[in-house]
Every structure is written in structure tokens, then in C-alpha cells.
Amino acid sequence: MTSDVEGAPYDPELMAAVADLGEALRGLVDASVRTTVPAAELHEVAAVVRAARERLAASTRPATRLPVLDDPVAFRRVYNPVSGVGSALAPPVLFRSATADGADGDVVAETSFGLAYEGPPGFLHGGMSGLVMDQALGAAAIRAGLWGMTARLELDYRRPVPLDTPVLLRARVTEHAGRKAVVTGTIAPASAPDTPLVEARGLFVLPREELRASYFAEITDASGRHAPPSRPTDATAPSGTGA
């Protein structure tokens, strides 16, 4: 068995299989929006995909049951739509500490977005910018030792984010008091990290204890045992450190 630095043990063979399938699905999605093959070929591929779906659907879980590989305490979420290695939706983005010792809590990540995320022709959909920045801001809050759920998210779109181009994501906590934390971040070209394309500001609030109990009352682990997140958030913990 393998474990995260602070996470519960998990099956490395299963993790590798989930990551393998996730990578294959992301490749399929990307190919599906780039392909120019004729209609007959599309119908044949659709039949193959439906057959694959039937195999996966042979055993499924309800939305209230966590995947066996997930660990909400360590914020390991394998199907997270931004950072999940098993998600067909995720780029995926891996956040890390911006400094070698991780002392300041800042996080950074490099990624690029393919045609599956297109909004204006050739550029990233604005909603995807919001999704990714919500994740980045939440990751910075976690790295700083703060936890909460997104109460407000504001974005300024300075310039469009180009597709198939390396970009740099940054986030840091700028204020915190009590149950509230303010986090800011940017999306910028990797080649010009100080020229933001998107600027974001988020307010994260740790819900009161009675609300946390209500929100996660039906959440169980893979065995069916009640397992609410002890530090609820919609973000995933950063991994590793900056170079």
C-alpha cells in the first residue's frame, strides 16, 4: 500500500489504473473535438465508446459515496474536475508550493488548455477560467493552513487565454480573520508570468459546525461508513514544492 505524505494508504495498482484511464479519456475528448474523420467513422467510434461505458457501468457508486482512492482529510480527490488524475474533464492541474520551503503558502502550477475548453475561437472559455481559479485559490488557502468553502469569486478578464499554450497559475492568501480568508491569483502566459490574462479574488468561509454537519450528513467512505470532510473545501491540497 502507498500513502500521501499526510493521507491514508491507498492501492497503488488501482491508482495507476485510474490515472491510466483518466489519461486515455482526456486523449479521447481532445481527439473528439479535433477530428475531421467522416460521419461513418464517427458512428463506429461512438459504438465502441458506448460499449466501453457499459463495462464501466457494471459497478458504480452513488454521489454520496467517496471513491475508494479519495481521502477528504488529505484532500486527495482523484476525480476532481481540475486536478483529478482520473477525471476526463481535468487538464489536470497539479498545484505545488511556490517556494522551496512552502513557508509563505503561495501556490503555482503550469498547464495548458486544449480545444475541449474553447470559448471564443482559439481561446479559453471564461467559465473554465473561473473553475480553475477557484481551485487555485482554494489550494492556496489550504497550503496556508486555512480551510473553507467558496463564498464569493470575482474575476477580471484582462486578455483572452490562448489555447494549446503553456500558462502559469498563481495564488496566495492576502487576508484572513476568524472563519474567513481572502485569496487572490492570476493566470498568465508561462513566457510572461508577470503579465496577467485573468485576475481572481475569492472569499473562503469555513461554515459553522452545524452547517458542516448538515452539508455532509450523507457522505460516506467507500465502505459505507459516515465520513464527512473534517476540513470541508472544494479544493485539493498542493503537492510537492517549487524548484
Side-chain angles (χ1 to χ4, degrees):
M1 300 293 281
T2 302
S3 67
D4 296 331
V5 174
E6 298 179 355
Y10 61 84
D11 181 343
E13 184 178 355
L14 179 59
M15 180 67 84
V18 166
D20 188 29
L21 178 59
E23 182 179 13
L25 290 173
R26 288 187 291 273
L28 177 64
V29 170
D30 185 68
S32 73
V33 298
R34 295 179 188 269
T35 187
T36 58
V37 301
E41 184 72 3
L42 293 176
H43 284 303
E44 290 184 15
V45 172
V48 172
V49 172
R50 290 191 185 96
R53 179 190 178 279
E54 288 302 313
R55 294 180 63 182
L56 295 176
S59 179
T60 61
R61 62 183 174 88
T64 54
R65 182 182 300 169
L66 295 174
V68 67
L69 292 170
D70 273 17
D71 182 351
V73 174
F75 302 100
R76 183 173 69 233
R77 305 300 307 280
V78 295
Y79 299 113
N80 180 282
V82 175
S83 62
V85 295
S87 172
L89 305 177
V93 179
L94 178 64
F95 294 99
R96 65 183 189 277
S97 294
T99 56
D101 60 8
D104 58 8
D106 295 9
V107 299
V108 65
E110 287 192 30
T111 191
S112 62
F113 301 98
L115 282 174
Y117 308 108
E118 188 175 47
F123 295 101
L124 184 66
H125 193 291
M128 189 66 188
S129 293
L131 175 66
V132 171
M133 289 313 297
D134 185 33
Q135 185 81 8
L137 302 186
I142 293 168
R143 178 61 71 176
L146 305 167
W147 296 277
M149 300 177 75
T150 311
R152 181 181 300 117
L153 180 64
E154 302 169 347
L155 278 81
D156 289 320
Y157 296 90
R158 301 300 185 187
R159 297 176 181 82
V161 178
L163 299 177
D164 293 336
T165 302
V167 294
L168 185 70
L169 313 178
R170 288 173 169 170
R172 65 181 306 175
V173 175
T174 55
E175 304 173 39
H176 67 89
R179 295 186 296 112
K180 299 181 179 181
V182 175
V183 193
T184 60
T186 59
I187 302 176
S191 60
D194 295 323
T195 304
L197 305 174
V198 178
E199 297 177 337
R201 180 181 185 275
L203 172 65
F204 290 79
V205 178
L206 179 66
R208 296 186 300 276
E209 185 174 353
E210 63 272 19
L211 287 178
R212 297 201 302 271
S214 173
Y215 291 160
F216 304 108
E218 298 182 12
I219 299 299
T220 71
D221 63 16
S223 69
R225 180 179 59 89
H226 182 49
S230 61
R231 298 171 292 192
T233 182
D234 54 11
T236 299
S239 300
T241 59

